[in-house]
């Protein structure tokens, strides 16, 4: 079943891929379930529109999926407008910003409205102290952590205000990652793009920055809660933008310095296995053992781990959640010891950081 889902996914994102004409009518409910769990309903429907008639599900099923795809497109239009307006709020406060992932990633898709949008992750310049001094009162009463604070929703869209794009558990790797972000910040705040349908302009990360930042994002969610194919698909489109030999060499060095190299080898396997990404777009060599483990976790857990039945017994309290993280660390320790062993240390560091930050 997953094999046919991967075929359909590849066909949906790349017209050069063969038509998955061996899909049976009874398979479509299961394909729909997987698409839902991986948050790829709009992407799959984009491919369905090009399938020959004999491969399609019945008309009622198609209309249901069509309605979902239109909801996704409408939501994208709404989030585009809100992203522009939220960026303007911070600009008026004197802060340059950059919209992470989200609507910037959507611009790389065959149709920018096919990607299911989430909240608005907005990175504001200046670091924690400057950002919170400037707009802290607007976020009073909202949950705050090491790299972002929740922000009042805008126009019905959830907003996360980042003073750091991402972080690593390993404090040494994290220091190097924050150094990379700081060194490249100006370029990201100046990278202005136009959103579809005249929604307006926003700043988004450059492709070069995303090759590092989005790998850190994948790694962080993998270790803390789970990661889905949607985020891997985002990364696929980032890699498809290409890079020079010099850029590849620099990226490999950065990934090693920031503790992301092993995860990168696993992600490259998924790029090949699921999306059939050509070798020329792989930053590092794929590791089959790590990659199979990552892919298995992706298919079991779904989007951000929301469908991971193994976590059901740990839901309901912070204590259970902390136990779950320790169990998760133990499961990952043999393959990814760096981040797993440092996770309890980072939690202790985060506790004192919050005290210092007066949270």
């Amino acid at each position: 079943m997953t094999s046919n889902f991967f075929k359909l996914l590849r066909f949906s994102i790349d017209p050069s891929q063969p038509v998955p004409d061996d899909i049976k009518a009874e398979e479509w409910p299961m394909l729909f379930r997987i698409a839902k769990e991986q948050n790829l309903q709009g992407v799959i429907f984009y491919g369905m529109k090009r399938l020959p008639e004999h491969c399609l599900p019945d008309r009622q099923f198609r209309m249901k999926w069509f309605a979902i795809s239109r909801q996704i497109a409408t939501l994208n239009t709404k989030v585009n407008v809100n992203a522009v307006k939220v960026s303007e709020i911070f600009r008026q406060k004197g802060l340059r910003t950059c919209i992470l992932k989200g609507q910037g990633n959507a611009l790389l898709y065959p149709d920018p409205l096919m990607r299911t949008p989430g909240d608005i992750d907005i990175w504001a310049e200046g670091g924690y102290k400057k950002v919170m001094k400037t707009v802290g009162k607007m976020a009073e009463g909202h949950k705050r952590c090491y790299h972002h604070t929740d922000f009042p929703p805008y126009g019905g869209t959830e907003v996360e205000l980042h003073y750091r794009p991402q972080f690593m558990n390993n404090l040494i790797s994290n220091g190097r990652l924050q150094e990379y972000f700081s060194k490249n910040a100006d370029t990201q705040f100046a990278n202005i793009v136009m959103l579809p349908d005249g929604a307006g302009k926003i700043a988004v990360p450059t492709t070069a920055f995303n090759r590092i930042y989005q790998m850190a994002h994948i790694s962080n969610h993998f270790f803390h809660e789970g990661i889905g194919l949607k985020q891997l698909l985002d990364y696929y489109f980032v890699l498809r933008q290409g890079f020079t030999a010099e850029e590849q060499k620099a990226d490999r060095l950065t990934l090693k310095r920031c503790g992301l190299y092993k995860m990168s080898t696993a992600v490259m396997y998924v790029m090949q296995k699921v999306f059939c990404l050509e070798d020329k777009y792989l930053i590092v060599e794929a590791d089959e053992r790590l990659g199979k483990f990552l892919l298995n976790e992706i298919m079991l857990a779904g989007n951000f781990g929301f469908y991971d039945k193994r976590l059901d017994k740990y839901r309901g309290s912070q204590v259970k959640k902390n136990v779950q993280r320790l169990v998760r660390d133990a499961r990952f320790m043999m393959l990814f010891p760096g981040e797993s062993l440092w996770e309890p240390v980072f939690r202790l560091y985060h506790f004192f950081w919050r005290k210092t930050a007066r949270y």
Side-chain angles (χ1 to χ4, degrees), residues 50 64 82 111 131 137-138 186-187 207 223-224 228 249:
R50 296 176 19 245
K64 175 184 176 181
N82 290 340
D111 179 351
V131 171
K137 289 185 178 180
M138 298 172 66
D186 282 345
T187 305
T207 299
F223 285 107
H224 289 100
K249 183 178 179 181

Side-chain angles (χ1 to χ4, degrees), residues 318-330:
Q318 187 61 44
V319 172
K320 287 183 177 180
K321 185 176 181 180
N322 288 336
V323 172
Q324 177 266 322
R325 285 189 173 181
L326 291 174
V327 172
R328 192 175 182 86
D329 292 338

Side-chain angles (χ1 to χ4, degrees), residues 214-284:
Q214 290 195 31
M215 182 62 72
H217 175 73
I218 291 169
S219 176
N220 184 283
H221 279 282
F222 171 76
F223 285 107
H224 289 100
E225 51 200 354
I227 196 74
L229 280 179
K230 175 186 171 185
Q231 289 69 39
L232 275 292
L233 182 57
D234 281 349
Y235 201 66
Y236 162 85
F237 283 116
V238 168
L239 293 179
R240 280 290 300 268
Q241 304 309 300
F243 43 80
T244 66
E246 292 76 14
E247 288 174 323
Q248 182 184 44
K249 183 178 179 181
D251 285 350
R252 287 178 173 177
L253 179 60
T254 300
L255 292 169
K256 287 179 180 178
R257 279 179 47 80
C258 297
L260 290 164
Y261 195 87
K262 286 191 75 174
M263 179 56 67
S264 300
T265 65
V267 169
M268 294 307 118
Y269 172 83
V270 177
M271 292 295 118
Q272 289 183 315
K273 178 70 175 180
V274 176
F275 306 116
C276 287
L277 186 64
E278 301 158 81
D279 289 350
K280 66 180 181 180
Y281 295 121
L282 301 182
I283 303 177
V284 301

Side-chain angles (χ1 to χ4, degrees), residues 18 30 34 42 52 59-60 71 83 99 105 120 130 136 196 204 209-210 225 230 258 281 288 290 296 298-299:
M30 184 66 73
I34 298 174
R59 187 176 185 278
Q60 184 177 357
Q71 291 173 359
I99 301 295
N105 278 345
I120 295 173
K130 178 182 177 181
V204 301
F209 187 86
N210 271 334
E225 51 200 354
K230 175 186 171 185
C258 297
Y281 295 121
E288 183 176 0
L290 296 179
N296 183 62
I298 288 171
M299 300 311 294

Side-chain angles (χ1 to χ4, degrees), residues 71-106:
Q71 291 173 359
I72 292 170
T74 300
L75 187 57
N76 266 302
T77 301
K78 176 182 175 181
V79 176
N80 283 339
V81 171
N82 290 340
V84 173
K85 292 182 177 179
V86 170
S87 299
E88 179 61 18
I89 290 174
F90 288 102
R91 190 194 68 78
Q92 292 178 1
K93 294 286 185 180
L95 294 175
R96 293 184 299 168
T97 59
C98 174
I99 301 295
L100 301 169
K101 307 187 304 313
Q103 304 317 102
N105 278 345

Side-chain angles (χ1 to χ4, degrees), residues 54-214:
H54 71 275
C55 296
L56 292 171
D58 62 65
R59 187 176 185 278
Q60 184 177 357
F61 195 87
R62 275 182 278 173
M63 292 306 296
K64 175 184 176 181
W65 211 323
F66 170 77
I68 292 172
S69 74
R70 295 318 304 158
Q71 291 173 359
I72 292 170
T74 300
L75 187 57
N76 266 302
T77 301
K78 176 182 175 181
V79 176
N80 283 339
V81 171
N82 290 340
V84 173
K85 292 182 177 179
V86 170
S87 299
E88 179 61 18
I89 290 174
F90 288 102
R91 190 194 68 78
Q92 292 178 1
K93 294 286 185 180
L95 294 175
R96 293 184 299 168
T97 59
C98 174
I99 301 295
L100 301 169
K101 307 187 304 313
Q103 304 317 102
N105 278 345
L107 295 175
L108 304 179
Y109 281 58
D111 179 351
L113 302 182
M114 67 194 273
R115 179 186 183 273
T116 305
D119 55 13
I120 295 173
D121 291 274
I122 186 165
W123 175 25
E125 69 173 330
Y128 174 76
K129 291 183 179 180
K130 178 182 177 181
V131 171
M132 297 313 295
K133 181 179 180 180
T134 305
V135 298
K137 289 185 178 180
M138 298 172 66
E140 283 184 354
H142 290 268
K143 183 179 178 182
R144 192 177 307 170
C145 64
Y146 174 75
H147 67 306
H148 70 76
T149 179
D150 291 344
F151 209 70
Y154 187 92
T157 305
E158 297 294 322
V159 178
E160 280 187 358
L161 169 60
H162 287 250
Y163 20 86
R164 300 179 179 93
Q166 196 47 266
F167 70 93
M168 302 290 290
N169 289 331
N170 184 318
L171 296 181
I172 298 172
S173 298
N174 185 55
R176 293 169 177 170
L177 185 65
Q178 302 312 319
E179 179 186 358
Y180 173 84
F181 291 154
S182 297
K183 181 180 177 181
N184 292 278
D186 282 345
T187 305
Q188 315 317 310
F189 297 129
N191 189 43
I192 308 297
V193 298
M194 176 64 77
L195 292 176
D197 302 321
K201 297 178 181 179
I202 58 172
V204 301
T206 62
T207 299
F209 187 86
N210 271 334
R211 289 197 298 269
I212 304 301
Y213 159 65
Q214 290 195 31

